[in-house]
Amino acid sequence: MSATAAILVIGNEILSGRTHDTNIHSIAGALTARGIVVAEARAVPDVEAVIVATVNELRGRYTYVFTTGGIGPTHDDITAACIAKAFGVTLHRDPLAVKMLEAHYEPGQLTEARLKMAEVPVGASLVENPVSRAPGFRMANVFTLAGVPRIAQAMMDNILPTLAEGPAIHAQTVSCTLGEGVIAEGLGAVQARYPDLSIGSYPYFRNGVLGVSLVTRGTDRSAVEAASREIAAMVEGLGGTALVVEGMA
Amino acid sequence: MSATAAILVIGNEILSGRTHDTNIHSIAGALTARGIVVAEARAVPDVEAVIVATVNELRGRYTYVFTTGGIGPTHDDITAACIAKAFGVTLHRDPLAVKMLEAHYEPGQLTEARLKMAEVPVGASLVENPVSRAPGFRMANVFTLAGVPRIAQAMMDNILPTLAEGPAIHAQTVSCTLGEGVIAEGLGAVQARYPDLSIGSYPYFRNGVLGVSLVTRGTDRSAVEAASREIAAMVEGLGGTALVVEGMA
């Protein structure tokens, strides 16, 4: 049984269309590469009741939950307080987090607002932030990361080695310029022969050419390779040219 | 009371990290511009039970639901069947949808697989697709769109004029290069004076300069402008330079 995960993006700026989230994509890729199945992703606004309820729903359902956003020093940064509330604990000022901030700011620059970034739920362990020092934290199976993508990724780099690693997921892509409607029947037949694999069909339009990427994924590498060979043969049999590459290209 | 909406992105490729979703961002922006409050966004895998349960949860909670992905001709395109199941109806081959496809494909090219794209839940009305003709559809308050961003956006263009328009949401941004930790206290005080407005603080790093965008949003334009003036004055009072621009810049 693989470990599962949910990603929870917190912030009005995502749902207003102001900010284009990139954390779902990068966190999902990092977890998938480690064999952890990302089962869902959500974006919610800066509303305490919504965040608390969503965290509690997701942490009960999945092995891991990763939140992004809302851990800065301003009034709209309420994630730490919400995680504490979800776990029924209070916030406290973590001495180690204060030390991290003291090392980063000039004397006199560590304002009371910035010290808010040292406040984490009682029982949480810190996740180091090599970019701007204000840490993320882990509370049981919930990891709370910054929203700034560069910082979120640096925090993930610190977290990944601590996670249960799932069976590696192998992927192979067959690319061709036949229409989806032409290959659909044959592709469905391959999927039916390999029920343990996941075969996806993703049309693309690149450099003026319409094509489709047929991606086979699964934990059994030889099955993935066999299914990909069958897909390539099917494409060639329909008069197409099949380009086979490793990964989810 | 404003209309509310949820966006539901359907597809394994988003959660595996293969594909970077852009539909949440563009749909959220289009709805916000129309005064419709996007209350949440989710991404779920191509799993029938998950899609059906999520559609039913969201359509009961919000004015509108917008799904993207899973309406092509291949075996992994199960969205139409899931929407039908969520509404307790069957799929049928819509004669108008067949006509749209017939007009698009050369004689003999309209395969049985492609005709699958004319199958919609009984009771659904079609949403035209000016790009590749295979339509989306509306079932009560649920709109089902293609996953290809260019097609999803074209479908949204057709849908937007049919939606209840909410009160216009005005936004103004004050940009400065002071740290969030420096302006946090003053910004929180402005937010406290304007409880009906939403004031967000979004740090950025551009051209080697670290700055922060302070975005005020609300339906009362004069209140938005007054709060922005107070934020700008606060920034200048702290020795910063405030750049004020319209919108969520």
Side-chain angles (χ1 to χ4, degrees), chain A residues 208-237:
Chain A
V209 177
L210 192 69
V212 60
S213 292
L214 308 169
V215 180
T216 302
R217 301 169 66 229
T219 53
D220 180 344
R221 180 195 284 268
S222 63
V224 169
E225 289 171 350
S228 280
R229 277 194 302 271
E230 291 189 27
I231 293 169
M234 181 267 293
V235 165
E236 305 272 353

PDB file of all heavy atoms in Angstrom, chain A residues 208-237:
ATOM      1  N   GLY A 208       2.908  24.253 -33.878  1.00  0.00           N
ATOM      2  CA  GLY A 208       1.943  24.123 -34.959  1.00  0.00           C
ATOM      3  C   GLY A 208       1.491  22.698 -35.228  1.00  0.00           C
ATOM      4  O   GLY A 208       0.740  22.452 -36.173  1.00  0.00           O
ATOM      5  N   VAL A 209       1.984  21.747 -34.431  1.00  0.00           N
ATOM      6  CA  VAL A 209       1.621  20.347 -34.653  1.00  0.00           C
ATOM      7  C   VAL A 209       0.724  19.843 -33.514  1.00  0.00           C
ATOM      8  O   VAL A 209       1.035  20.036 -32.345  1.00  0.00           O
ATOM      9  CB  VAL A 209       2.886  19.458 -34.740  1.00  0.00           C
ATOM     10  CG1 VAL A 209       2.508  17.991 -34.894  1.00  0.00           C
ATOM     11  CG2 VAL A 209       3.763  19.914 -35.889  1.00  0.00           C
ATOM     12  N   LEU A 210      -0.380  19.213 -33.908  1.00  0.00           N
ATOM     13  CA  LEU A 210      -1.271  18.609 -32.930  1.00  0.00           C
ATOM     14  C   LEU A 210      -0.822  17.170 -32.705  1.00  0.00           C
ATOM     15  O   LEU A 210      -0.636  16.413 -33.654  1.00  0.00           O
ATOM     16  CB  LEU A 210      -2.699  18.640 -33.479  1.00  0.00           C
ATOM     17  CG  LEU A 210      -3.827  18.306 -32.505  1.00  0.00           C
ATOM     18  CD1 LEU A 210      -3.990  19.389 -31.457  1.00  0.00           C
ATOM     19  CD2 LEU A 210      -5.143  18.147 -33.268  1.00  0.00           C
ATOM     20  N   GLY A 211      -0.624  16.792 -31.459  1.00  0.00           N
ATOM     21  CA  GLY A 211      -0.202  15.426 -31.167  1.00  0.00           C
ATOM     22  C   GLY A 211      -0.810  14.950 -29.874  1.00  0.00           C
ATOM     23  O   GLY A 211      -1.634  15.634 -29.265  1.00  0.00           O
ATOM     24  N   VAL A 212      -0.405  13.748 -29.467  1.00  0.00           N
ATOM     25  CA  VAL A 212      -0.929  13.217 -28.222  1.00  0.00           C
ATOM     26  C   VAL A 212       0.173  12.422 -27.516  1.00  0.00           C
ATOM     27  O   VAL A 212       0.949  11.702 -28.160  1.00  0.00           O
ATOM     28  CB  VAL A 212      -2.198  12.362 -28.474  1.00  0.00           C
ATOM     29  CG1 VAL A 212      -1.890  11.181 -29.383  1.00  0.00           C
ATOM     30  CG2 VAL A 212      -2.827  11.897 -27.173  1.00  0.00           C
ATOM     31  N   SER A 213       0.274  12.608 -26.208  1.00  0.00           N
ATOM     32  CA  SER A 213       1.205  11.844 -25.388  1.00  0.00           C
ATOM     33  C   SER A 213       0.412  10.759 -24.670  1.00  0.00           C
ATOM     34  O   SER A 213      -0.549  11.049 -23.979  1.00  0.00           O
ATOM     35  CB  SER A 213       1.866  12.745 -24.341  1.00  0.00           C
ATOM     36  OG  SER A 213       2.712  13.674 -24.952  1.00  0.00           O
ATOM     37  N   LEU A 214       0.841   9.510 -24.857  1.00  0.00           N
ATOM     38  CA  LEU A 214       0.166   8.375 -24.243  1.00  0.00           C
ATOM     39  C   LEU A 214       1.077   7.877 -23.120  1.00  0.00           C
ATOM     40  O   LEU A 214       2.119   7.263 -23.381  1.00  0.00           O
ATOM     41  CB  LEU A 214      -0.088   7.299 -25.295  1.00  0.00           C
ATOM     42  CG  LEU A 214      -0.804   7.862 -26.544  1.00  0.00           C
ATOM     43  CD1 LEU A 214      -0.800   6.854 -27.686  1.00  0.00           C
ATOM     44  CD2 LEU A 214      -2.218   8.300 -26.198  1.00  0.00           C
ATOM     45  N   VAL A 215       0.707   8.182 -21.894  1.00  0.00           N
ATOM     46  CA  VAL A 215       1.583   7.961 -20.752  1.00  0.00           C
ATOM     47  C   VAL A 215       1.127   6.736 -19.971  1.00  0.00           C
ATOM     48  O   VAL A 215      -0.016   6.668 -19.511  1.00  0.00           O
ATOM     49  CB  VAL A 215       1.596   9.193 -19.820  1.00  0.00           C
ATOM     50  CG1 VAL A 215       2.515   8.953 -18.623  1.00  0.00           C
ATOM     51  CG2 VAL A 215       2.014  10.442 -20.586  1.00  0.00           C
ATOM     52  N   THR A 216       2.035   5.781 -19.816  1.00  0.00           N
ATOM     53  CA  THR A 216       1.758   4.579 -19.027  1.00  0.00           C
ATOM     54  C   THR A 216       2.534   4.660 -17.720  1.00  0.00           C
ATOM     55  O   THR A 216       3.733   4.941 -17.729  1.00  0.00           O
ATOM     56  CB  THR A 216       2.182   3.318 -19.803  1.00  0.00           C
ATOM     57  OG1 THR A 216       1.488   3.293 -21.044  1.00  0.00           O
ATOM     58  CG2 THR A 216       1.873   2.052 -19.009  1.00  0.00           C
ATOM     59  N   ARG A 217       1.859   4.430 -16.606  1.00  0.00           N
ATOM     60  CA  ARG A 217       2.501   4.528 -15.296  1.00  0.00           C
ATOM     61  C   ARG A 217       2.151   3.313 -14.441  1.00  0.00           C
ATOM     62  O   ARG A 217       1.043   2.782 -14.527  1.00  0.00           O
ATOM     63  CB  ARG A 217       2.056   5.789 -14.555  1.00  0.00           C
ATOM     64  CG  ARG A 217       2.347   7.074 -15.284  1.00  0.00           C
ATOM     65  CD  ARG A 217       1.658   8.246 -14.628  1.00  0.00           C
ATOM     66  NE  ARG A 217       2.221   8.468 -13.303  1.00  0.00           N
ATOM     67  CZ  ARG A 217       1.515   8.628 -12.191  1.00  0.00           C
ATOM     68  NH1 ARG A 217       0.196   8.564 -12.232  1.00  0.00           N
ATOM     69  NH2 ARG A 217       2.115   8.816 -11.044  1.00  0.00           N
ATOM     70  N   GLY A 218       3.091   2.921 -13.602  1.00  0.00           N
ATOM     71  CA  GLY A 218       2.831   1.814 -12.697  1.00  0.00           C
ATOM     72  C   GLY A 218       4.086   1.432 -11.951  1.00  0.00           C
ATOM     73  O   GLY A 218       5.179   1.908 -12.254  1.00  0.00           O
ATOM     74  N   THR A 219       3.924   0.577 -10.951  1.00  0.00           N
ATOM     75  CA  THR A 219       5.074   0.189 -10.144  1.00  0.00           C
ATOM     76  C   THR A 219       5.846  -0.978 -10.762  1.00  0.00           C
ATOM     77  O   THR A 219       6.976  -1.236 -10.379  1.00  0.00           O
ATOM     78  CB  THR A 219       4.624  -0.212  -8.721  1.00  0.00           C
ATOM     79  OG1 THR A 219       3.596  -1.191  -8.838  1.00  0.00           O
ATOM     80  CG2 THR A 219       4.091   0.993  -7.963  1.00  0.00           C
ATOM     81  N   ASP A 220       5.247  -1.685 -11.718  1.00  0.00           N
ATOM     82  CA  ASP A 220       5.890  -2.836 -12.358  1.00  0.00           C
ATOM     83  C   ASP A 220       6.540  -2.369 -13.659  1.00  0.00           C
ATOM     84  O   ASP A 220       5.888  -2.198 -14.688  1.00  0.00           O
ATOM     85  CB  ASP A 220       4.813  -3.900 -12.638  1.00  0.00           C
ATOM     86  CG  ASP A 220       5.400  -5.145 -13.302  1.00  0.00           C
ATOM     87  OD1 ASP A 220       6.547  -5.098 -13.817  1.00  0.00           O
ATOM     88  OD2 ASP A 220       4.694  -6.172 -13.313  1.00  0.00           O
ATOM     89  N   ARG A 221       7.860  -2.163 -13.598  1.00  0.00           N
ATOM     90  CA  ARG A 221       8.557  -1.568 -14.730  1.00  0.00           C
ATOM     91  C   ARG A 221       8.410  -2.392 -16.006  1.00  0.00           C
ATOM     92  O   ARG A 221       8.194  -1.839 -17.096  1.00  0.00           O
ATOM     93  CB  ARG A 221      10.053  -1.404 -14.412  1.00  0.00           C
ATOM     94  CG  ARG A 221      10.838  -0.788 -15.569  1.00  0.00           C
ATOM     95  CD  ARG A 221      12.349  -0.961 -15.399  1.00  0.00           C
ATOM     96  NE  ARG A 221      12.902  -0.045 -14.424  1.00  0.00           N
ATOM     97  CZ  ARG A 221      13.398   1.170 -14.741  1.00  0.00           C
ATOM     98  NH1 ARG A 221      13.379   1.586 -15.989  1.00  0.00           N
ATOM     99  NH2 ARG A 221      13.915   1.927 -13.812  1.00  0.00           N
ATOM    100  N   SER A 222       8.497  -3.714 -15.877  1.00  0.00           N
ATOM    101  CA  SER A 222       8.437  -4.518 -17.110  1.00  0.00           C
ATOM    102  C   SER A 222       7.037  -4.461 -17.710  1.00  0.00           C
ATOM    103  O   SER A 222       6.874  -4.470 -18.932  1.00  0.00           O
ATOM    104  CB  SER A 222       8.885  -5.959 -16.840  1.00  0.00           C
ATOM    105  OG  SER A 222       7.999  -6.572 -15.929  1.00  0.00           O
ATOM    106  N   ALA A 223       6.012  -4.356 -16.864  1.00  0.00           N
ATOM    107  CA  ALA A 223       4.654  -4.217 -17.390  1.00  0.00           C
ATOM    108  C   ALA A 223       4.490  -2.870 -18.096  1.00  0.00           C
ATOM    109  O   ALA A 223       3.862  -2.771 -19.157  1.00  0.00           O
ATOM    110  CB  ALA A 223       3.627  -4.369 -16.264  1.00  0.00           C
ATOM    111  N   VAL A 224       5.063  -1.820 -17.492  1.00  0.00           N
ATOM    112  CA  VAL A 224       4.997  -0.493 -18.117  1.00  0.00           C
ATOM    113  C   VAL A 224       5.646  -0.538 -19.495  1.00  0.00           C
ATOM    114  O   VAL A 224       5.101  -0.022 -20.482  1.00  0.00           O
ATOM    115  CB  VAL A 224       5.682   0.571 -17.219  1.00  0.00           C
ATOM    116  CG1 VAL A 224       5.872   1.892 -17.970  1.00  0.00           C
ATOM    117  CG2 VAL A 224       4.871   0.790 -15.940  1.00  0.00           C
ATOM    118  N   GLU A 225       6.812  -1.190 -19.558  1.00  0.00           N
ATOM    119  CA  GLU A 225       7.529  -1.252 -20.841  1.00  0.00           C
ATOM    120  C   GLU A 225       6.760  -2.090 -21.864  1.00  0.00           C
ATOM    121  O   GLU A 225       6.682  -1.735 -23.042  1.00  0.00           O
ATOM    122  CB  GLU A 225       8.946  -1.807 -20.619  1.00  0.00           C
ATOM    123  CG  GLU A 225       9.833  -0.800 -19.886  1.00  0.00           C
ATOM    124  CD  GLU A 225      11.178  -1.376 -19.458  1.00  0.00           C
ATOM    125  OE1 GLU A 225      11.365  -2.617 -19.545  1.00  0.00           O
ATOM    126  OE2 GLU A 225      12.018  -0.579 -19.007  1.00  0.00           O
ATOM    127  N   ALA A 226       6.165  -3.177 -21.397  1.00  0.00           N
ATOM    128  CA  ALA A 226       5.409  -4.040 -22.314  1.00  0.00           C
ATOM    129  C   ALA A 226       4.181  -3.308 -22.859  1.00  0.00           C
ATOM    130  O   ALA A 226       3.885  -3.347 -24.067  1.00  0.00           O
ATOM    131  CB  ALA A 226       4.990  -5.332 -21.599  1.00  0.00           C
ATOM    132  N   ALA A 227       3.466  -2.608 -21.979  1.00  0.00           N
ATOM    133  CA  ALA A 227       2.276  -1.869 -22.418  1.00  0.00           C
ATOM    134  C   ALA A 227       2.668  -0.764 -23.395  1.00  0.00           C
ATOM    135  O   ALA A 227       1.985  -0.532 -24.407  1.00  0.00           O
ATOM    136  CB  ALA A 227       1.537  -1.288 -21.211  1.00  0.00           C
ATOM    137  N   SER A 228       3.778  -0.085 -23.104  1.00  0.00           N
ATOM    138  CA  SER A 228       4.234   0.979 -24.004  1.00  0.00           C
ATOM    139  C   SER A 228       4.591   0.419 -25.377  1.00  0.00           C
ATOM    140  O   SER A 228       4.308   1.044 -26.395  1.00  0.00           O
ATOM    141  CB  SER A 228       5.458   1.698 -23.420  1.00  0.00           C
ATOM    142  OG  SER A 228       5.051   2.634 -22.453  1.00  0.00           O
ATOM    143  N   ARG A 229       5.225  -0.764 -25.396  1.00  0.00           N
ATOM    144  CA  ARG A 229       5.537  -1.384 -26.688  1.00  0.00           C
ATOM    145  C   ARG A 229       4.258  -1.687 -27.454  1.00  0.00           C
ATOM    146  O   ARG A 229       4.181  -1.488 -28.664  1.00  0.00           O
ATOM    147  CB  ARG A 229       6.346  -2.682 -26.477  1.00  0.00           C
ATOM    148  CG  ARG A 229       7.835  -2.457 -26.289  1.00  0.00           C
ATOM    149  CD  ARG A 229       8.635  -3.759 -26.419  1.00  0.00           C
ATOM    150  NE  ARG A 229       8.208  -4.790 -25.473  1.00  0.00           N
ATOM    151  CZ  ARG A 229       8.721  -4.928 -24.230  1.00  0.00           C
ATOM    152  NH1 ARG A 229       9.664  -4.121 -23.801  1.00  0.00           N
ATOM    153  NH2 ARG A 229       8.279  -5.890 -23.454  1.00  0.00           N
ATOM    154  N   GLU A 230       3.230  -2.173 -26.746  1.00  0.00           N
ATOM    155  CA  GLU A 230       1.958  -2.470 -27.419  1.00  0.00           C
ATOM    156  C   GLU A 230       1.310  -1.197 -27.950  1.00  0.00           C
ATOM    157  O   GLU A 230       0.719  -1.187 -29.039  1.00  0.00           O
ATOM    158  CB  GLU A 230       1.000  -3.185 -26.452  1.00  0.00           C
ATOM    159  CG  GLU A 230       1.457  -4.590 -26.105  1.00  0.00           C
ATOM    160  CD  GLU A 230       0.406  -5.376 -25.328  1.00  0.00           C
ATOM    161  OE1 GLU A 230      -0.794  -5.067 -25.486  1.00  0.00           O
ATOM    162  OE2 GLU A 230       0.787  -6.281 -24.560  1.00  0.00           O
ATOM    163  N   ILE A 231       1.421  -0.110 -27.173  1.00  0.00           N
ATOM    164  CA  ILE A 231       0.843   1.163 -27.632  1.00  0.00           C
ATOM    165  C   ILE A 231       1.593   1.647 -28.875  1.00  0.00           C
ATOM    166  O   ILE A 231       0.975   2.076 -29.866  1.00  0.00           O
ATOM    167  CB  ILE A 231       0.890   2.222 -26.506  1.00  0.00           C
ATOM    168  CG1 ILE A 231      -0.040   1.806 -25.366  1.00  0.00           C
ATOM    169  CG2 ILE A 231       0.496   3.600 -27.046  1.00  0.00           C
ATOM    170  CD1 ILE A 231       0.121   2.631 -24.097  1.00  0.00           C
ATOM    171  N   ALA A 232       2.926   1.545 -28.838  1.00  0.00           N
ATOM    172  CA  ALA A 232       3.719   1.987 -29.996  1.00  0.00           C
ATOM    173  C   ALA A 232       3.374   1.161 -31.231  1.00  0.00           C
ATOM    174  O   ALA A 232       3.229   1.700 -32.340  1.00  0.00           O
ATOM    175  CB  ALA A 232       5.213   1.874 -29.674  1.00  0.00           C
ATOM    176  N   ALA A 233       3.221  -0.140 -31.050  1.00  0.00           N
ATOM    177  CA  ALA A 233       2.881  -1.015 -32.180  1.00  0.00           C
ATOM    178  C   ALA A 233       1.497  -0.657 -32.720  1.00  0.00           C
ATOM    179  O   ALA A 233       1.271  -0.647 -33.941  1.00  0.00           O
ATOM    180  CB  ALA A 233       2.926  -2.480 -31.731  1.00  0.00           C
ATOM    181  N   MET A 234       0.580  -0.363 -31.826  1.00  0.00           N
ATOM    182  CA  MET A 234      -0.769   0.028 -32.240  1.00  0.00           C
ATOM    183  C   MET A 234      -0.718   1.307 -33.069  1.00  0.00           C
ATOM    184  O   MET A 234      -1.358   1.420 -34.124  1.00  0.00           O
ATOM    185  CB  MET A 234      -1.617   0.199 -30.977  1.00  0.00           C
ATOM    186  CG  MET A 234      -3.060   0.568 -31.159  1.00  0.00           C
ATOM    187  SD  MET A 234      -3.371   2.359 -31.108  1.00  0.00           S
ATOM    188  CE  MET A 234      -2.982   2.720 -29.379  1.00  0.00           C
ATOM    189  N   VAL A 235       0.071   2.274 -32.620  1.00  0.00           N
ATOM    190  CA  VAL A 235       0.216   3.550 -33.347  1.00  0.00           C
ATOM    191  C   VAL A 235       0.785   3.287 -34.742  1.00  0.00           C
ATOM    192  O   VAL A 235       0.269   3.799 -35.749  1.00  0.00           O
ATOM    193  CB  VAL A 235       1.118   4.527 -32.555  1.00  0.00           C
ATOM    194  CG1 VAL A 235       1.580   5.690 -33.439  1.00  0.00           C
ATOM    195  CG2 VAL A 235       0.384   5.039 -31.312  1.00  0.00           C
ATOM    196  N   GLU A 236       1.837   2.487 -34.794  1.00  0.00           N
ATOM    197  CA  GLU A 236       2.465   2.201 -36.100  1.00  0.00           C
ATOM    198  C   GLU A 236       1.490   1.453 -37.008  1.00  0.00           C
ATOM    199  O   GLU A 236       1.407   1.703 -38.214  1.00  0.00           O
ATOM    200  CB  GLU A 236       3.761   1.373 -35.915  1.00  0.00           C
ATOM    201  CG  GLU A 236       4.787   1.992 -34.969  1.00  0.00           C
ATOM    202  CD  GLU A 236       5.756   2.963 -35.660  1.00  0.00           C
ATOM    203  OE1 GLU A 236       5.716   3.054 -36.905  1.00  0.00           O
ATOM    204  OE2 GLU A 236       6.523   3.637 -34.947  1.00  0.00           O
ATOM    205  N   GLY A 237       0.722   0.559 -36.425  1.00  0.00           N
ATOM    206  CA  GLY A 237      -0.262  -0.195 -37.199  1.00  0.00           C
ATOM    207  C   GLY A 237      -1.343   0.695 -37.793  1.00  0.00           C
ATOM    208  O   GLY A 237      -1.964   0.352 -38.816  1.00  0.00           O
TER     209      GLY A 237
END
